[in-house]
Amino acid sequence: MLSTAIENPEARPPSGPVTVNAGSTAEGETTGFEPKMSARGVNFYYGPKRALKDISLDLPPRMVTAIIGPSGCGKSTFIRLLNRMNDLVPDARLEGEILLDGFDINRPACDAADLRKRVGMVFQKPNPFPKTIFENVAYGPEVNGLRDRLALEERVENSLRRAALWDEVKDRLRESALGLSGGQQQRLCIARCLAVEPEVLLFDEPCASLDPISTAKIEELILDLRRQYTIAIVTHNMQQAARVSDRTAFFLMGEIIEVGPTGRIFKAPRDRRTEDYITGRFG
Amino acid sequence: MSRRDVFQKAGFGLLWLCMAANIVFLGAILWFIAVRGLPAISWEFLTAAPRDAMTAGGIAPAILGTLYLTLGAVLVALPLGVACAVYLTEYSPKGWAVNAIRVSVNNLAGVPSVVFGLFGLAVFVKGAGFGVSILSGSLTLAMLTLPLIISASQEALVAVPQSVREASLALGASRWETIRKVVLPAALPGILTGVILSVGRAAGETAPILFTAAAFYLKGYPDSVFSEVMALPYHIYALMTEGTHPEAQTRIAYGSSLVLLALVLAMSMLAIYIRQRQRRTYHA
């Protein structure tokens, strides 16, 4: 376990109300804010295999937390625990706590569907429904009880605008979403996610299958969304982590090796393994 | 030309020949039936009841009967089969039990249709007391087509990518909402393929309705689901095996065959149309 000094030189001032000096991570490093989400001593097992080892990590509000690490290090497994997508995995077992606004999301009273409305997820490969563009974005609000046509249309338009896709699709809302390009599909998935009005956004390698231009658009979008949402992004791409995130956690073989402000992690990693990874010596 | 090119040309040539052989067989059947059947077709043939010991008049009651039986069978088998497939692919724990059910379903498809006929006689006609009726016949045909619908639906459901299910769940939808609103619509074209196959099978079978629904000759039209009906396949069978005017009857039998073919084709076309429309909307 690393012991790091209190430091927070690079985080921007938050745009909303915060509790100063309230949150502190397992590393003893204060982020300055009550974390929106936090993992406490999380172990996760696929059958007998331990995929995550004693993970403690905070997601401070209105910041982007990047999770980097080589393939198979458990970063996707971890992010999928934050909205309980791993509930579907047979023979999996979780130890430890994952808190959203201080409440354990795995407590019996917490319904997975309700949780996922608050904690949205964008996946590695764009996965639009085989439906029209409109239906894709309207799906979440509809499932969650929004029936009024006008309100629904407004929600769809706002979400598409928020995802910087509106101008490209406003004349083809009734066409199949599968006719969009990969980058557009991924922005549609983001719009679909925003339409449910979540509080936390999880991105699981959102640009893994996109070209550089589409990637740039998604990154710009994430930087823009940061002002309103708490964001976690898993990425293979260290430049991406450096570009979009406020804080970075380095995962290796199911463990957190180092976590801290992104600038510090990249400029002055404290652990040899972090340095090796970000300088491209392995992974 | 290199050896590989020769092999490739020969390979493609062989494939083309197989395809051509199929077309020839299909064309031959259609041509044969059309040539012999067309002379019998007239407005009266399609709209009137048989007369003069089935040597004249039309086959309207049989057309209607086949329509009733087929629609009845699909109406029963479609929801039942799709529900079964949904349970097997979406809900049931994976394991030997599901595999056993899957194998049984496939075996069910191999059971001779006359056995289904006897089953229908014992269970629906006698056991449930539905008598020889549209209801008994439809239920028997439904049993017969169930495996087709189940296996087509299962394949269609399995082909829906897992990522799409995850997307729905991640938006706060329940598993049931995910299945109803995302998975089933995406699987619909494949399910309709099962329906197309079932329609052809149900409309064309004679043995299953022999003891459960079909009448040799009826004066009137059926007035409820408990009525006996005439049906095209059985009508053809009766014309060719009974009666005293083979010549007149053979003509009518070919006419009836043509009508049956057209009927099956028309019902398939309808399903294909729906499938295409669905694909256009949903699959770009």
Side-chain angles (χ1 to χ4, degrees):
Chain A
M1 199 62 67
L2 286 157
S3 81
T4 56
I6 293 173
E7 61 163 13
N8 192 17
E10 310 207 3
R12 277 163 317 288
S15 51
V18 290
T19 320
V20 177
N21 287 335
S24 75
T25 64
E27 288 79 23
E29 180 189 30
T30 308
T31 61
F33 323 111
E34 189 81 54
K36 180 72 183 172
M37 288 196 86
S38 64
R40 296 280 156 84
V42 167
N43 288 296
F44 190 73
Y45 302 84
Y46 291 115
K49 192 181 154 261
R50 192 175 173 195
L52 293 176
K53 294 171 195 157
D54 197 29
I55 300 285
S56 291
L57 182 66
D58 287 351
L59 303 186
R62 286 178 225 88
M63 283 196 200
V64 178
T65 304
I67 298 169
I68 61 169
S71 299
C73 69
K75 51 194 194 304
S76 280
T77 298
F78 175 72
I79 203 172
R80 290 168 62 92
L81 285 175
L82 299 181
N83 68 342
R84 288 180 57 182
M85 285 311 282
N86 288 336
D87 283 13
L88 308 168
V89 179
D91 297 325
R93 191 161 56 84
L94 173 75
E95 288 167 4
E97 280 185 324
I98 295 170
L99 309 175
L100 172 61
D101 288 336
F103 288 99
D104 187 352
I105 63 171
N106 290 297
R107 70 189 187 278
C110 180
D111 178 59
D114 289 336
L115 169 73
R116 292 175 190 141
K117 283 167 207 165
R118 299 178 61 193
V119 184
M121 181 168 232
V122 175
F123 295 82
Q124 202 174 105
K125 266 180 65 186
N127 54 357
F129 301 128
K131 296 174 181 288
T132 66
I133 293 167
F134 183 89
E135 287 168 330
N136 260 277
V137 184
Y139 181 84
E142 269 176 345
V143 160
N144 295 313
L146 185 65
R147 290 278 174 273
D148 181 66
R149 196 71 207 164
L150 275 176
L152 205 56
E153 276 171 12
E154 202 182 304
R155 183 80 69 89
V156 169
E157 178 174 341
N158 286 340
S159 307
L160 285 167
R161 280 189 191 282
R162 201 82 183 75
L165 190 60
W166 174 253
D167 290 331
E168 290 162 63
V169 301
K170 61 175 184 241
D171 299 321
R172 48 197 283 211
L173 294 175
R174 306 288 158 188
E175 287 172 36
S176 170
L178 300 183
L180 297 173
S181 74
Q184 289 174 324
Q185 287 189 6
Q186 195 62 304
R187 276 180 285 148
L188 179 69
C189 292
I190 295 173
R192 183 174 67 181
C193 200
L194 297 179
V196 186
E197 299 182 335
E199 298 155 43
V200 180
L201 290 174
L202 308 174
F203 291 87
D204 187 1
E205 294 189 46
C207 304
S209 61
L210 302 183
D211 64 68
I213 293 171
S214 305
T215 300
K217 281 186 183 161
I218 303 272
E219 287 181 6
E220 209 174 299
L221 189 52
I222 291 173
L223 285 171
D224 179 41
L225 293 170
R226 171 174 58 184
R227 281 178 283 163
Q228 200 181 338
Y229 302 93
T230 300
I231 296 175
I233 176 171
V234 162
T235 176
H236 258 119
N237 180 333
M238 279 168 288
Q239 285 76 30
Q240 183 168 69
R243 282 192 298 262
V244 303
S245 73
D246 303 287
R247 293 171 55 78
T248 296
F250 173 55
F251 275 54
L252 185 64
M253 293 166 75
E255 285 179 274
I256 291 188
I257 302 301
E258 191 167 352
V259 56
T262 298
R264 207 269 293 149
I265 292 275
F266 281 91
K267 282 189 208 112
R270 298 205 170 117
D271 193 287
R272 182 64 195 278
R273 290 165 292 179
T274 314
E275 189 178 347
D276 285 350
Y277 182 71
I278 59 179
T279 53
R281 239 164 281 170
F282 71 90
Chain B
M1 211 161 58
S2 76
R3 258 173 73 90
R4 283 172 64 196
D5 288 339
V6 174
F7 272 114
Q8 170 157 309
K9 279 233 153 45
F12 284 150
L14 198 68
L15 292 176
W16 187 89
L17 268 178
C18 294
M19 183 274 297
N22 273 302
I23 300 283
V24 167
F25 281 131
L26 190 67
I29 294 171
L30 288 176
W31 189 77
F32 185 76
I33 298 290
V35 164
R36 305 215 174 186
L38 269 177
I41 308 285
S42 67
W43 184 244
E44 190 203 9
F45 188 74
L46 296 175
T47 56
R51 280 184 286 112
D52 307 334
M54 297 206 293
T55 57
I59 55 166
I63 295 175
L64 211 62
T66 288
L67 273 177
Y68 285 151
L69 288 170
T70 309
L71 287 179
V74 170
L75 241 45
V76 174
L78 186 61
L80 217 59
V82 171
C84 179
V86 167
Y87 179 78
L88 287 175
T89 53
E90 306 289 327
Y91 283 106
S92 65
K94 308 283 168 263
W96 65 269
V98 171
N99 281 332
I101 294 172
R102 197 162 295 159
V103 170
S104 331
V105 166
N106 288 333
N107 281 337
L108 206 61
V111 173
S113 55
V114 69
V115 175
F116 278 102
L118 283 174
F119 171 82
L121 176 66
V123 174
F124 302 126
V125 178
K126 304 279 186 212
F130 297 148
V132 174
S133 63
I134 295 179
L135 187 60
S136 298
S138 290
L139 289 170
T140 310
L141 287 172
M143 297 296 115
L144 182 89
T145 55
L146 213 44
L148 292 175
I149 292 190
I150 292 174
S151 50
S153 305
Q154 267 188 324
E155 269 168 43
L157 290 168
V158 168
V160 177
Q162 198 58 32
S163 65
V164 167
R165 292 182 176 82
E166 286 192 340
S168 170
L169 292 170
L171 292 168
S174 66
R175 281 175 85 186
W176 169 239
E177 285 165 333
T178 299
I179 289 165
R180 191 164 58 86
K181 296 184 175 177
V182 176
V183 178
L184 276 179
L188 198 60
I191 293 172
L192 285 173
T193 303
V195 171
I196 294 171
L197 291 171
S198 309
V199 164
R201 187 91 200 272
E205 280 290 351
T206 315
I209 54 171
L210 205 55
F211 325 120
T212 57
F216 180 67
Y217 175 66
L218 289 173
K219 276 222 163 60
Y221 290 89
D223 51 16
S224 82
V225 292
F226 295 106
S227 308
E228 279 184 76
V229 281
M230 294 178 68
L232 284 169
Y234 183 58
H235 191 58
I236 296 166
Y237 171 77
L239 286 166
M240 297 305 284
T241 52
E242 322 211 0
T244 48
H245 298 82
E247 225 144 272
Q249 289 174 206
T250 304
R251 210 174 79 96
I252 297 176
Y254 276 113
S256 305
S257 304
L258 187 60
V259 171
L260 180 56
L261 267 178
L263 208 63
V264 170
L265 215 62
M267 288 194 269
S268 297
M269 289 297 218
L270 184 69
I272 289 171
Y273 170 74
I274 299 171
R275 187 172 69 180
Q276 286 305 110
R277 218 183 49 173
Q278 190 77 8
R279 279 199 181 138
R280 257 204 306 283
T281 321
Y282 290 120
H283 298 261

